[in-house]
Amino acid sequence: MTKTPKHIDVCICTYRRPDLLSHLLEELGRQETGGLFTYSVVVADNDEHRSAEKVVTHFAAASSIPVSYCVEPHQNIALARNKAIENTSGDFVAFIDDDESPTRQWLLTLFKACDDFGVDGVLGPVKPLFHGAPPQWLVKGKFYERPTYPTGFVIDWRKGRTGNVLLKSRVFTTGAQPFTPSFLTGEDQDFFRRMIARGHVFVWCNEAVAYETVPPVRWKRTFMLRRALLRGKISLLYPTFGVSDIAKSLIAVPAYIGALPFALAWGHHRFMTCLVKLFEHLGRLLALLGINPIREPYVTD
């Protein structure tokens, strides 16, 4: 008897990025499968005004790849991910961000790695793709270069990301919401922390590459610092957070302030690295005092 191919639901959570979403859908329509699996696409629109609907409708009319569209009106990335999961029914779930673009063998490479290593999921690298010439300090500081690991490397929860990942659907059969809405960022790390604690194993596949568009708005210093404040604020939600983290931040804030003039003398990229770390610790301490420096669900500018 012929073995029935497995099915992958590719999930995209999107918020007001129609052009990038359109490009991503086109690239997903060209994925190679090697006859090993079938796949479809789920788009979860986190905009109550349904700004992605026309893009999805246009793609669905021209593509042979099945695509479904759903809306999570409450602006929250964790809720958007949960909405996408609600609309899946395959053997595997893949996540890719709406500002990313995969290689043509992206899904196939992830699928083969998951089978070869016999694990519950596989993560791949996300490499920056700048539109135009970014400032030299941004490039030197490697602010948008993420760590990579050898293929087969077993990740811990701090390395967990959902921008480029394939997961077996059984990971989600826990009866609870997979992603925790209180996490405005870092919801993916929290997800992997809980899944690894339950015994699930995830590995890295360095060949399954996706490229992330880094537009000029994300080159701004204000953008990077506001994101740092938000990361500091959210760090309080992790169950591993404790007195030692508070002490570390109390020491780090004056230390980084004192280091700023020296860092600037060594180069603007070192100055910004120091400043970003300072703002992460400031965000944590402000949150402890009940001060909320970032109120928006997404830091977009």
Side-chain angles (χ1 to χ4, degrees), residues 117-135:
F117 291 100
V119 290
D120 297 296
V122 181
L123 292 83
V126 177
K127 299 183 179 182
L129 181 64
F130 296 102
H131 283 190

Side-chain angles (χ1 to χ4, degrees), residues 266-281:
W266 294 335
H268 193 70
H269 63 292
R270 291 189 174 93
F271 174 79
M272 280 303 301
T273 298
C274 189
L275 196 60
V276 166
K277 291 179 179 179
L278 167 62
F279 270 58
E280 287 182 358
H281 288 286

Side-chain angles (χ1 to χ4, degrees), residues 113-184:
C114 195
D115 185 60
D116 290 344
F117 291 100
V119 290
D120 297 296
V122 181
L123 292 83
V126 177
K127 299 183 179 182
L129 181 64
F130 296 102
H131 283 190
Q136 280 301 304
W137 64 264
L138 190 78
V139 178
K140 285 184 178 180
K142 300 181 178 180
F143 292 100
Y144 289 104
E145 291 188 23
R146 308 182 190 187
T148 60
Y149 312 95
T151 296
F153 178 82
V154 177
I155 70 156
D156 61 62
W157 68 269
R158 294 186 185 277
K159 300 177 180 66
R161 298 287 187 274
T162 46
N164 178 355
V165 65
L166 177 71
L167 303 165
K168 289 184 176 177
S169 294
R170 69 187 186 195
V171 171
F172 299 103
T173 58
T174 60
Q177 284 188 318
F179 296 94
T180 306
S182 56
F183 282 83
L184 302 181

Side-chain angles (χ1 to χ4, degrees), residues 44-92:
D45 192 349
N46 205 193
D47 181 9
E48 62 179 347
H49 300 294
R50 306 173 73 95
S51 56
E53 188 170 19
K54 287 184 179 179
V55 174
V56 176
T57 302
H58 178 76
F59 173 78
S63 175
S64 60
I65 305 301
V67 57
S68 59
Y69 174 80
C70 55
V71 178
E72 172 48 64
H74 184 70
Q75 207 176 329
N76 180 292
I77 185 58
L79 289 177
R81 295 200 192 284
N82 290 338
K83 177 63 70 172
I85 293 297
E86 288 176 13
N87 287 271
T88 63
S89 58
D91 306 286
F92 292 83

Side-chain angles (χ1 to χ4, degrees), residues 93 105 267:
V93 172
Q105 291 193 329

